[in-house]
Amino acid sequence: MFDKVAPLLRQLDTSDEVASREDTLAGRIRFSMPSDLARYFLTPIFRDFASAFPAIKLEVGLADRQVDLIREDYDVAFRVGGSGQGELRVRKLANVNMVIVASPAYLEKHGKPRSADEASALPFARYIVRGHPSPMVFAGGKQFSPQGRVDCDTGQALRAAALHGLGAALLMKCVVQDELNDGRLIDISTELDLPPQPLNVVHAFGSMIPLRVRRFCDFIADQTKSIPGL
């Protein structure tokens, strides 16, 4: 019952902002985004968005997990992959290119896979969601559950495990671009068909999203244009 009523209460609470002037926007924006993307977004948020709207309070949550917007009282969450559930509204901001990376020593030992079947036999640093490894999904629907001895719940941990040769890791290309450029990590998925993942923003305001939140989402959407790999 709470999950059904909460979006309606949010609409009632914010309906008076529809006619607000942009230069007087005020209130709170509590948002969540993956920690790996914070390096690209936090500087422009704090430098540009906060300066443009000085009466808006920002509450930042960096989490790779999918937060519960309603029960944890978030206004918006930025997520890579997946979609909304229940009363959540979803807006796609960009496509994120994905890569499977490994250290040079790992590549020398295990080689580069030429198919999803060959990839399934490799040891991975696995991304864990609700206690279970996230599956590797390829274009056309081919997928497998990766095997490995390192389980992580953040992209930063996956990157570190891959750098130290403890497994291959599926990561957003933009967050390992520096390591790919200098050779510390190798893209071993060049012969695999990895589909891009959507970068979505989700909220529970229904059709009456507050103007301050809409402008914030527009700002993030504009920032994605300058990020390599998006």
Side-chain angles (χ1 to χ4, degrees), residues 156-185:
Q156 293 182 30
L158 289 174
R159 172 180 160 275
L163 281 168
H164 289 88
L166 296 179
L170 175 67
L171 289 162
M172 293 180 278
K173 186 176 182 180
C174 62
V175 306
V176 290
Q177 191 62 63
D178 290 345
E179 290 81 3
L180 291 172
N181 290 343
D182 63 25
R184 285 181 293 158
L185 288 175

Side-chain angles (χ1 to χ4, degrees), residues 7-21:
L8 299 177
L9 295 177
R10 284 183 169 218
Q11 290 187 23
L12 290 173
D13 184 51
T14 59
S15 59
D16 61 347
E17 196 187 52
V18 174
S20 297
R21 288 169 39 195

